[in-house]
Amino acid sequence: KVMTSADPKKIKAGLVSGYMLVELALSWVSAVNEGKVPSVEDTWTNVCQAECRKQVSTLQAKYLSQKEDIIGTLPLPDDELNSWHLAALETARKSFKTQTSTL
């Protein structure tokens, strides 16, 4: 019943994914094990930063994969190559904003 009726977890109006919940728990356990008092604010900031790094890494891999595809079509005029790069960069920016908008 819990799996089907539990509300999504939120911190500061941001949805907490399963991955993020695990990161929060690990951070809190680590703080307690070190004799410290866990800070929700600091832990949430660290989890958000980790999620942003994860998204950047994913988007970099996607860009590099697309770059490999375009390398097969070289040579290209400079303006076409620059247009491709700017479009790929804008797509990555929009995706990053969408993926991290709830943090």
Side-chain angles (χ1 to χ4, degrees):
K1 185 172 180 167
V2 171
M3 298 297 279
T4 58
S5 63
D7 291 331
K9 304 303 172 227
K10 293 182 180 183
I11 295 180
K12 290 186 165 186
L15 292 177
V16 179
S17 69
Y19 168 81
M20 295 166 77
L21 189 59
V22 168
E23 288 295 318
L24 282 168
L26 289 173
S27 181
W28 290 334
V29 168
S30 177
V32 169
N33 285 342
E34 293 171 9
K36 300 176 183 174
V37 176
S39 165
V40 174
E41 186 75 28
D42 292 343
T43 302
W44 180 242
T45 298
N46 291 338
V47 168
C48 289
Q49 289 173 346
E51 184 65 18
C52 287
R53 284 190 298 271
K54 180 179 147 192
Q55 290 301 323
V56 166
S57 180
T58 298
L59 293 168
Q60 283 175 332
K62 184 177 179 181
Y63 176 90
L64 292 174
S65 174
Q66 291 172 341
K67 184 181 87 170
E68 290 300 319
D69 292 342
I70 202 162
I71 285 176
T73 65
L74 294 177
L76 287 175
D78 287 347
D79 59 333
E80 283 185 44
L81 190 56
N82 191 46
S83 292
W84 171 84
H85 168 72
L86 293 175
L89 191 59
E90 185 59 26
T91 299
R93 284 184 181 140
K94 286 179 181 177
S95 182
F96 180 81
K97 189 173 182 175
T98 299
Q99 295 296 324
T100 60
S101 65
T102 61
L103 300 180

